[in-house]
Amino acid sequence: MADMIPFIDLLAQQARIKDRVESAVMKVLGEGRYILGPEVSELEARLAEFAGIGRALSCANGTDAILIPLMAWGIGPGDAVFVPSFTFASTAEVVVLAGASPVFVDIDPDTYNMAPESLSEAIEAVKSAGELTPKAVIAVDLFGQPADYPALEPIARQHGLKLVSDCAQGYGCTLNGKASLHWADALTVSFYPAKPLGAYGDGGAVLCRDDALFDVMKSVRVHGEGKERYEYARIGLNSRLDTIQAAILLAKLEVFAEEIQMRQAVADKYAAGMGNAVKCPHVIAGAQSTWAQYTVEVEGRDAFRAHLAEQGVPSAIYYPIPLHMHEPYAGYPLPPRGLPVTEAAAKNVVSLPMHPDMPDADVNRVIAAVTGFRAQAHGSRRSCPSVSHT
Ligand SMILES: Cc1ncc(COP(=O)(O)O)c(C=O)c1O
């Protein structure tokens, strides 16, 4: 078996930015303000500047980043929050943690992002059932590309719902040059190391346009603190960002725009080289993806992955089982027509290596392995029966 190329190469990025990261970390160590130090406020200002809209509040991780606005809006028992099922656990988990009920919504078959018609149907169904009060929608910018906000926002507004962009994978993505916060009430980010803008530990942020919301979220971030220290206005969290992580993120933010373009170049080479061998990602018109993942669809996924592995190409499945099919989420409402697109996508998607520092030799190896599978499948269908699904 050939040597494996990396799926994500954080060490290659480390080597490229080593000097700026090391001096930033040493500065924090010398200053001694390890939690919510000056780098944290500076990072918050830069995050909003990079997004081109709103104000940013840092927090401990991308999960808390979604929970904080829900808590700030007082969403809780008896409330419905509409979420995709084809996402990481956090998107629905925070709704349950807030005491509310997630209602799962289907996705678009090409972008894997929330399908507007399914959202409308889910809202109508919840309203006519009359058991839950619709309160918010959490759209996910899955794999780095913005959800269809121009279609989702009017639906949310028509029903008086808050709109959150779970931009954990897509901070830096744009639609017609605008960040998702242009449409959403809150945009949430994860700085988990493997994310496009990753720290060297956990971290997160939530951006919003409304000053009153910002003030309440700031209080929620630190135990619900009021105007004075040790005075509490509400129940909150301990969700502070370490100063060292903020300093690392400031250094990484300097090269982030360039890294998005480096990822785009890899995506362009993949699309050109793979042709029709697999279903390549579809990015909606006017969007810039951050390419958190390069996710293709293929029939005979197990055989495909085994073939890639033989060629030294790792792959991953995001996500093999949609959330509504996991036991803790199984009892929550689905739209009347169910989630057929979500369930089909979960059977066929495969994510390929993607990172900004990918050398051409690795890109070409992935392309050769992908196109080689197709050729092999055509040449030896008898010996490879698992390549066709029924
Ligand atoms: C779509 C989505 N939402 C939320 C999160 C949660 O982020 P974190 O791991 O920083 O809590 C992630 C990260 O894995 C994610 O991919």
Side-chain angles (χ1 to χ4, degrees), residues 89-90 92-94 96 102 104 323-334:
S90 307
E93 186 181 38
V94 292
V96 181
F104 292 107
L323 290 183
H324 70 284
M325 298 172 89
H326 294 260
E327 195 274 326
Y329 297 103
Y332 294 108
L334 305 180

Side-chain angles (χ1 to χ4, degrees), residues 18-267:
K18 195 168 189 294
D19 292 346
R20 29 175 132 218
V21 169
E22 279 184 2
S23 59
V25 170
M26 292 316 287
K27 182 166 171 283
V28 175
L29 294 183
E31 283 171 355
R33 296 176 61 189
Y34 303 128
I35 293 276
L36 296 182
E39 284 78 2
V40 173
S41 324
E42 194 187 334
L43 174 69
E44 291 172 339
R46 293 279 174 79
L47 288 170
E49 198 178 281
F50 192 91
I53 184 168
R55 294 170 74 185
L57 183 79
S58 61
C59 61
N61 53 65
T63 306
D64 284 0
I66 323 171
L67 179 59
I68 288 171
L70 299 186
M71 289 176 71
W73 286 319
I75 290 176
D79 295 337
V81 178
F82 299 85
V83 297
S85 175
F86 196 61
T87 177
F88 185 64
S90 307
T91 317
E93 186 181 38
V94 292
V95 177
V96 181
L97 288 173
S101 171
V103 177
F104 292 107
V105 175
D106 213 356
I107 51 168
D108 176 271
D110 294 322
T111 64
Y112 312 118
N113 279 333
M114 186 178 273
E117 323 75 62
S118 179
L119 173 62
S120 289
E121 287 170 14
I123 297 171
E124 295 297 352
V126 166
K127 282 190 159 174
S128 45
E131 282 171 21
L132 297 166
T133 310
K135 281 288 173 68
V137 178
I138 307 177
V140 177
D141 297 336
L142 199 73
F143 305 145
Q145 77 157 309
D148 187 358
Y149 292 101
L152 295 172
E153 192 203 0
I155 300 170
R157 302 294 169 226
Q158 180 199 337
H159 294 281
L161 310 183
K162 301 288 186 197
L163 178 59
V164 178
S165 157
D166 175 352
C167 204
Q169 305 179 9
Y171 173 74
C173 74
T174 52
L175 184 57
N176 303 327
K178 294 174 178 140
S180 311
L181 187 60
H182 177 79
W183 297 271
D185 298 292
L187 177 154
T188 69
V189 192
S190 165
F191 301 126
Y192 180 77
K195 294 286 188 265
L197 182 61
Y200 290 155
D202 277 311
V206 48
L207 282 75
C208 71
R209 289 175 272 127
D210 174 13
D211 288 341
L213 172 64
F214 185 89
D215 290 343
V216 180
M217 294 199 305
K218 197 169 174 187
S219 160
V220 170
R221 172 176 72 173
V222 184
H223 304 289
E225 226 169 46
K227 290 202 173 59
E228 303 297 328
R229 196 128 196 237
Y230 305 119
E231 179 228 316
Y232 302 103
R234 55 186 57 77
I235 298 296
L237 302 170
N238 170 11
S239 192
R240 300 169 299 216
L241 182 70
D242 294 359
T243 312
I244 286 183
Q245 298 306 337
I248 291 164
L249 287 163
L250 277 168
K252 287 203 177 193
L253 203 48
E254 282 181 38
V255 296
F256 187 49
E258 190 189 342
E259 286 189 345
I260 294 174
Q261 291 315 313
M262 289 159 84
R263 287 172 182 271
Q264 181 64 52
V266 174

